Amino acid sequence: MAKHHVTATVNGDVVEFLCETRQSLLDVLRDELNLTGTKEGCGTGDCGACSVTIDGRLMCSCLVLGVEAEGKAIQTIEGMAAGKDLHPLQRQFLEHAALQCGICTPGILIAARSLLERNPDPTEDEVRYWLAGNLCRCTGYHKIVDAVLDAAREMRRP
Amino acid sequence: MSRASGRVTRHGSRVAGVRTPARVVFTGDFGDRYTGGVKEFAIEAKNLRGVIKALDALYPGLGEHLEKETTVAIDGEIHEVGYYQPVRPGCEIFFIPKIEGG
Amino acid sequence: MSTRLKPEEKKLKVVGTRPLRPDGVPKVTGIARYGADYSAPGMLWGRILRSPHAHARIRSIDTSKAQALPGVKAVMTSADLPEQKFEYVGPERVAVNFWHMTRNIMAREKVFYEGHAVAAVAAISKSTAEEALRLIEVDYEVLPHVIDVEEAMRPDAPLLFEDMITRGIDPAPDRPSNISKRLEFKIGDLDAGFAAADEIVEASLKTAPVHQGYLEPQACLARFDPDGQAEVWASSQGHFVIRALTAKLLGMEMGNLRVHPAEIGGGFGGKNVPYVEPVALALSRKTGHPVKIVMSREEVFKACGPAPGSSMTVRIGVRKDGKIVAADGVFKFQAGAFPGSPVMNACMCAFAPYDIPNVRSVGYDVVCNRPKTAAYRAPGSPVSAYAVESVVDMAAARIGMDPLQFRLQNIARPGTPTVWGPKHTHEGFTETIQALMKHPGYRAPLGRNQGRGVASGYWFNNGGESSAAVHVNEDGTVVVATGSADLSGTRASLAMMAAETLGIDYDKVRPIVADTASIGYGHLAAGSRTTFATGIAVVEACKKVIDNLRARAAMIWDVSAEDVIWEDGCARPAGGSKGRFEPLSLKAIAAKRGVTGGPIVAEVSVNAGGVAPGFATELCDVEVDPETGQVKVLRFVAAQDVGRAIHPSYVEGQIQGGAAQGIGWALNEEYIYDEAGRLTNAGFLDYRVPVASDLPRIETVLVEVPNPNHPFGVKGVGEANIVPSLAAVSNAVSHAIGRRMTELPMSPPKILKALSSER
């Protein structure tokens, strides 16, 4: 079965790749484009570790086929920092020790950024419900919530 | 035949100023498995190496099991089994199942 | 925010502060490499074929069609791994038996659980490998299965092993059973004890099996070269242990295997043992190519070791004045397919927090048709604590005493005997309970359908073997290398202890986790041992480096080493009368290393003892919806004696994480099997772990009663926090609905059932 040729934009750069029909966007990012920052925790859209944005929309990349990326703009964790400048969310996560093993962190950062793009001043409840699709087994979410709220505060400053 | 607890009297050299023996106890079923149910001993030694050697002399092969399968509590303080561990006269030594966590 | 309670102040510059972790930027930018993030040129993909049956004899395996598929480079079965001797070796508590272990890695005569590995393939792509699996023909003779621990113990239960005679019973039984072992610990006189009681409280309780729930499935890359040298990149909690076990399972010399520690995405005890490494290595050996295996989430649930389910009975005798006079517990644990549940830990920890003169713990290790259990955060202790702390709660209520006051009245102190013999030697239990009693949450009012539960819990913690190497770089920065996998920030704590000892800035220290060929042996990053034992090795190595630096300074100044002190990161002359010399920094001395003897390095190894146990006391407030049975956790406060918090943020994080796992264990998590013994919820949708919207803020109270056997007073913190959490939640729910809950998880259907029953 011949592979498909797909052209998309990843983190602002045009990329081309070949993929099988059955390969998910997650498989493509990790195995074809060597962008291993996006993680597989479950493969069935239940844990959020594979979160990316596609044309600005937060999605689980394990639930999207590689071929569906044709012509789309995809943002992964590797594109979150602006060159050598960390995003306020990344900095606050480090300050707050909002990561322990760190495997859920890329997905949560992508999800949190998506929240703050829509709602720059969320309540704690709004943060918790938005992040309900991102599992973390190490932290109990307490410091993650604090980090997101502080990043929101920082980003609201003129 | 299994004895719930047996006493083995002082094992060690008789010299002037003889040391008060340490009370050595096996916990769990270590005694049932290797010493026919005997769980308590009075052993004279300067360090744990001496204790293990004395027990091995009573039950050949026991020393190897003690080293590989147990952790030791000396007066309640937990240590890995090490030859160099000092043994105070009259102290209490428990060989307990080796600890592992998660 | 957390509260820290210190009985004494000490002037420390780095320890106790909250610097950024050195592996933080790679983790927030996606650069850090976990087990599945490694690749190699010419790499093949490995996939494992797993049994669809809970219990079956393997009549034959035909791999010919799979072998013939284009793109398949090798197919393996258990025939590609050497047979192992049947013998229980090493720590009896963990029951290592390589005859069992090799069969768990890949089945031989029988499959013992749905998901049991039967064969594996290596192919040029994931999809080719999966297609090859479908072409392997296995002829099974399906057998009846048994899963529940009480059912597995029945004399007519289907047997997993026809020759399993229960150990620990004298005389030995004359018939085989699924009971691998019986154990008993006892002190005092139970009959006399219960006879002296004014009230006797008893309950029978059950828990369902749960999974550690680490987000990162097991994964590795393995390469076995034609000259017999091999390398593995894998995430684990102990690459030295993985090396030893994998080499034995492959029948190769351990020294020919080098294991590189990938970053690890959660372990909690579940990654103390290998699963994919021996398979990937065997496939690599067969193909001459590197092989990568990544488990799916479904495979993780179906084949990787979970925590055992249990059936327990606890009886406590108490006097009207609040003194516990006797206690008796029976703990039956599911070991899964092969013996080795943590029932011994459960027996030992169950009553450990208390001073009870007459105590007995009896444990049963029972095999059944589900995956072999592995460690899960203070393995065994949270389960037995659930039973004991539930009955303690009932006893306190029976005599009308405040539950924390009741525990305080009976608390163990130095000199209190344990049920396994030695006396307690460390302080801290009393202070922890007192800290929780003082917390404002304990007096906060409760509303309708709300309830408050408290519980305490004990965990041994651990010492053991660790090595640390400290090198001074030419620019005066310092490398600290250890073999301790960093699950959650220990790299940072080790660097902090090094910086404090050397008297230099934290950001001059580079901590790394070195591979098996680059550092001396380090035991598992488990059992709450790293900051304690590896910390001791790091501090000792730094002290050796300091002696070395003083000797170098002495040479530079042409004085004797006794005339040189090390203070605030510099060599200084000892006392004014020894001559006036400018202080020499690490950088200055390093610049002169050549003429003073060469590179400045030290490596130290320890077999650390003097461990202080972990102890936590927790409070949980819940609200139960009487219509749906749903439980909302309103408040959770955890007080834990941490000895000294090296990096308070990571200590708080450990406590919060353990509490969260306990809440999930108590309310929602369980393995659900169908009538054929197949797992129906092998994914995160239906194996329901807590999500961000399920949990409140988890308040931590860090009690610091230092351990005198550690240079900074450290007590291990990782595990004790989960121990009381199951009972704290259960006691809270029980009080909220006015009925004693005796089964976990307390999912909504169970709560509704309890509500409809008599009080």
Side-chain angles (χ1 to χ4, degrees):
Chain A
M1 170 85 216
K3 290 190 180 181
H4 304 275
H5 176 272
V6 178
T7 308
T9 308
V10 175
N11 299 327
D13 295 323
V14 175
V15 300
E16 293 178 57
F17 56 84
L18 294 173
C19 69
E20 299 171 26
T21 311
R22 47 172 280 162
Q23 272 179 291
S24 67
L25 176 59
L26 177 62
D27 289 333
V28 164
L29 287 170
R30 292 181 54 80
D31 301 333
E32 309 302 332
L33 297 176
N34 294 315
L35 295 168
T36 57
T38 307
K39 308 296 180 194
E40 175 167 329
C42 71
T44 52
D46 301 311
C47 76
C50 67
S51 298
V52 297
T53 58
I54 302 179
D55 286 350
R57 186 176 165 185
L58 181 65
M59 304 204 67
C60 285
S61 56
C62 72
L63 294 179
V64 177
L65 292 176
V67 293
E68 294 185 82
E70 176 68 43
K72 302 271 195 291
I74 297 156
Q75 289 279 327
T76 72
I77 185 66
E78 286 92 346
M80 189 149 177
K84 60 178 179 55
D85 295 323
L86 294 179
H87 189 280
L89 277 166
Q90 291 170 308
R91 268 191 284 104
Q92 290 291 351
F93 265 58
L94 292 177
E95 283 291 334
H96 280 272
L99 57 143
Q100 287 182 34
C101 81
I103 195 90
C104 72
T105 304
I108 293 198
L109 285 170
I110 293 286
R113 182 177 66 175
S114 181
L115 166 67
L116 297 184
E117 277 164 4
R118 285 158 176 67
N119 181 355
D121 191 3
T123 63
E124 178 169 335
D125 261 359
E126 283 171 328
V127 172
R128 285 184 180 274
Y129 276 89
W130 185 272
L131 292 180
N134 290 81
L135 299 184
C136 172
R137 195 57 162 167
C138 294
T139 68
Y141 307 100
H142 182 122
K143 292 179 188 295
I144 291 175
V145 171
D146 282 346
V148 174
L149 290 172
D150 263 0
R153 216 163 282 134
E154 184 186 325
M155 287 163 72
R156 286 197 303 273
R157 276 201 295 264
Chain B
M1 174 191 67
S2 94
R3 291 162 285 169
S5 167
R7 273 223 109 84
V8 174
T9 50
R10 185 167 309 173
H11 179 95
S13 54
R14 282 187 174 274
V15 293
V18 73
R19 298 163 68 83
T20 315
R23 178 179 173 239
V24 179
V25 183
F26 293 162
T27 208
D29 68 352
F30 195 81
D32 297 324
R33 279 188 293 136
Y34 296 122
T35 58
V38 181
K39 292 186 182 186
E40 207 163 313
F41 307 83
I43 308 251
E44 233 185 82
K46 281 203 287 271
N47 55 32
L48 214 52
R49 175 85 183 95
V51 172
I52 294 171
K53 214 170 147 190
L55 288 166
D56 197 68
L58 290 171
Y59 300 93
L62 181 59
E64 186 87 14
H65 290 296
L66 284 169
E67 289 174 25
K68 289 228 165 72
E69 298 171 32
T70 66
T71 296
V72 69
I74 303 177
D75 282 335
E77 197 70 80
I78 292 182
H79 297 276
E80 298 302 317
V81 172
Y83 290 159
Y84 48 87
Q85 294 288 356
V87 168
R88 232 182 12 88
C91 74
E92 217 173 51
I93 299 175
F94 278 83
F95 285 96
I96 68 182
K98 208 173 178 82
I99 297 168
E100 204 97 298
Chain C
M1 206 49 238
S2 85
T3 332
R4 290 173 66 196
L5 308 172
K6 290 185 270 260
E8 49 165 291
E9 282 300 310
K10 202 175 173 187
K11 258 203 161 53
L12 296 167
K13 294 200 183 130
V14 183
V15 165
T17 63
R18 300 173 190 250
L20 298 192
R21 61 197 280 180
D23 54 320
V25 169
K27 287 182 173 157
V28 298
T29 54
I31 301 302
R33 293 165 88 186
Y34 295 81
D37 299 335
Y38 286 87
S39 296
M43 183 181 90
L44 302 171
W45 284 92
R47 295 282 287 139
I48 298 176
L49 180 70
R50 299 184 178 279
S51 164
H53 304 294
H55 193 196
R57 221 176 299 277
I58 300 175
R59 288 206 197 95
S60 65
I61 305 178
D62 183 354
T63 61
S64 54
K65 293 201 185 82
Q67 303 255 27
L69 183 69
V72 170
K73 300 300 181 187
V75 184
M76 73 170 280
T77 64
S78 61
D80 294 290
L81 297 173
E83 172 65 288
Q84 303 283 343
K85 189 169 165 209
F86 185 99
E87 185 187 18
Y88 289 101
V89 294
E92 186 246 329
R93 192 188 298 208
V94 189
V96 178
N97 184 327
F98 285 100
W99 190 94
H100 291 143
M101 194 183 287
T102 190
R103 279 160 177 75
N104 197 36
I105 295 296
M106 197 146 284
R108 287 181 184 246
E109 307 83 7
K110 288 168 93 174
V111 288
F112 291 104
Y113 50 95
E114 184 220 6
H116 196 164
V118 171
V121 305
I124 54 173
S125 72
K126 274 186 201 167
S127 49
T128 307
E130 276 167 29
E131 202 187 324
L133 288 189
R134 286 192 281 274
L135 296 174
I136 298 177
E137 290 166 354
V138 185
D139 186 13
Y140 293 106
E141 179 197 332
V142 181
L143 302 168
H145 70 278
V146 63
I147 290 179
D148 175 77
V149 66
E150 293 279 6
E151 285 177 34
M153 290 176 78
R154 287 167 44 150
D156 57 347
L159 288 179
L160 273 73
F161 299 98
E162 310 286 330
D163 57 356
M164 177 169 280
I165 301 288
T166 309
R167 294 168 293 149
I169 296 187
D170 187 24
D174 52 14
R175 294 180 61 225
S177 71
N178 290 319
I179 306 171
S180 165
K181 198 165 169 146
R182 180 191 186 279
L183 24 105
E184 181 171 318
F185 295 89
K186 193 168 74 170
I187 53 172
D189 180 343
L190 270 185
D191 291 333
F194 279 111
D198 294 316
E199 299 279 355
I200 295 180
V201 184
E202 177 171 331
S204 290
L205 307 101
K206 292 188 80 127
T207 66
V210 298
H211 193 272
Q212 302 85 352
Y214 38 81
L215 260 285
E216 178 208 26
Q218 272 82 350
C220 77
L221 172 70
R223 201 190 75 223
F224 198 108
D225 295 338
D227 65 354
Q229 296 296 308
E231 281 185 276
V232 166
W233 292 260
S235 56
S236 76
Q237 292 178 242
H239 35 299
F240 286 88
V241 169
I242 295 295
R243 176 177 72 164
L245 298 178
T246 301
K248 177 116 173 90
L249 290 164
L250 249 74
M252 66 181 286
E253 249 189 76
M254 193 175 71
N256 289 343
L257 176 57
R258 184 173 181 184
V259 181
H260 301 271
E263 298 292 348
I264 173 173
F268 315 110
K271 291 182 180 164
N272 286 352
V273 288
Y275 290 98
V276 292
E277 296 85 340
V279 178
L281 211 48
L283 285 168
S284 181
R285 183 162 63 179
K286 256 188 139 171
T287 61
H289 291 280
V291 174
K292 178 168 174 172
I293 299 185
V294 180
M295 276 194 169
S296 69
R297 177 55 50 184
E298 189 183 335
E299 287 181 279
V300 172
F301 274 117
K302 287 186 174 173
C304 292
S310 73
S311 179
M312 305 177 281
T313 302
V314 170
R315 194 160 63 109
I316 289 181
V318 61
R319 282 198 318 240
K320 272 198 289 271
D321 66 358
K323 175 92 191 95
I324 300 175
V325 288
D328 191 13
V330 177
F331 307 100
K332 300 169 185 167
F333 273 34
Q334 279 176 330
F338 301 97
S341 78
V343 66
M344 187 179 285
N345 290 346
C347 285
M348 293 164 79
C349 293
F351 300 106
Y354 304 112
D355 180 358
I356 309 174
N358 311 292
V359 189
R360 184 178 67 163
S361 294
V362 173
Y364 292 93
D365 188 43
V366 182
V367 296
C368 63
N369 294 111
R370 47 188 308 269
K372 176 187 184 338
T373 54
Y376 180 11
R377 207 161 195 154
S381 189
V383 178
S384 62
Y386 162 61
V388 170
E389 293 294 304
S390 295
V391 178
V392 165
D393 198 52
M394 292 162 69
R398 183 77 68 85
I399 62 170
M401 199 174 223
D402 172 278
L404 284 182
Q405 186 56 43
F406 181 56
R407 286 172 172 81
L408 205 54
Q409 186 150 331
N410 290 282
I411 202 68
R413 294 186 165 78
T416 303
T418 60
V419 73
W420 68 90
K423 300 185 175 59
H424 282 281
T425 38
H426 287 267
E427 308 263 0
F429 300 0
T430 301
E431 292 84 338
T432 306
I433 296 183
Q434 284 171 338
L436 193 65
M437 287 175 93
K438 289 201 199 90
H439 191 279
Y442 195 50
R443 309 272 165 237
L446 291 166
R448 256 188 84 222
N449 297 320
Q450 295 181 355
R452 174 166 298 144
V454 294
S456 290
Y458 170 99
W459 175 247
F460 310 102
N461 286 343
N462 224 307
E465 296 176 275
S466 284
S467 306
V470 176
H471 310 161
V472 179
N473 290 323
E474 303 97 283
D475 64 354
T477 56
V478 172
V479 172
V480 173
T482 73
S484 288
D486 184 358
L487 276 64
S488 63
T490 45
R491 220 171 327 198
S493 306
L494 295 172
M496 291 168 75
M497 288 188 276
E500 188 76 60
T501 307
L502 291 167
I504 60 178
D505 285 341
Y506 167 77
D507 57 18
K508 298 283 186 235
V509 180
R510 315 267 173 277
I512 65 162
V513 183
D515 69 68
T516 55
S518 305
I519 189 75
Y521 182 88
H523 198 50
L524 299 170
S528 308
R529 64 173 297 272
T530 303
T531 312
F532 177 74
T534 308
I536 290 174
V538 167
V539 170
E540 292 302 308
C542 286
K543 286 184 180 163
K544 267 181 110 168
V545 164
I546 288 174
D547 286 343
N548 197 330
L549 290 163
R550 285 173 49 233
R552 308 295 181 112
M555 261 188 263
I556 293 167
W557 292 333
D558 200 17
V559 300
S560 78
E562 292 88 59
D563 300 331
V564 182
I565 59 166
W566 187 265
E567 197 178 78
D568 289 334
C570 289
R572 297 164 200 275
S577 62
K578 303 293 178 190
R580 302 215 68 65
F581 297 104
E582 284 305 303
L584 287 171
S585 67
L586 271 161
K587 184 171 175 182
I589 299 177
K592 292 285 202 182
R593 74 187 180 285
V595 295
T596 56
I600 303 166
V601 307
E603 183 159 339
V604 161
S605 71
V606 299
N607 194 351
V611 181
F615 183 79
T617 304
E618 296 174 351
L619 173 160
C620 179
D621 289 348
V622 302
E623 181 176 307
V624 179
D625 183 331
E627 279 187 48
T628 63
Q630 194 189 22
V631 176
K632 188 170 158 66
V633 180
L634 304 171
R635 172 185 278 119
F636 201 99
V637 183
Q640 185 173 344
D641 176 13
V642 304
R644 181 187 303 279
I646 304 295
H647 193 310
S649 301
Y650 289 107
V651 171
E652 291 157 3
Q654 283 296 309
I655 297 174
Q656 290 165 337
Q661 286 181 312
I663 290 169
W665 196 330
L667 291 178
N668 295 98
E669 295 177 39
E670 62 178 319
Y671 280 57
I672 302 172
Y673 291 94
D674 67 13
E675 343 63 53
R678 288 182 297 242
L679 189 59
T680 58
N681 63 335
F684 281 127
L685 183 63
D686 294 314
Y687 182 89
R688 183 70 164 75
V689 304
V691 304
S693 50
D694 291 327
L695 298 174
R697 303 177 72 73
I698 300 171
E699 296 174 61
T700 59
V701 179
L702 305 188
V703 177
E704 287 178 312
V705 179
N707 177 359
N709 302 320
H710 183 279
F712 292 106
V714 160
K715 294 180 179 173
V717 302
E719 294 166 289
N721 39 66
I722 198 176
V723 178
S725 58
L726 279 55
V729 179
S730 177
N731 290 340
V733 172
S734 302
H735 290 299
I737 66 172
R739 287 155 183 76
R740 173 57 49 180
M741 297 299 290
T742 56
E743 222 180 290
L744 297 185
M746 296 175 289
S747 49
K750 295 221 188 81
I751 303 241
L752 289 176
K753 186 162 173 230
L755 280 170
S756 65
S757 71
E758 290 293 307
R759 269 181 194 267

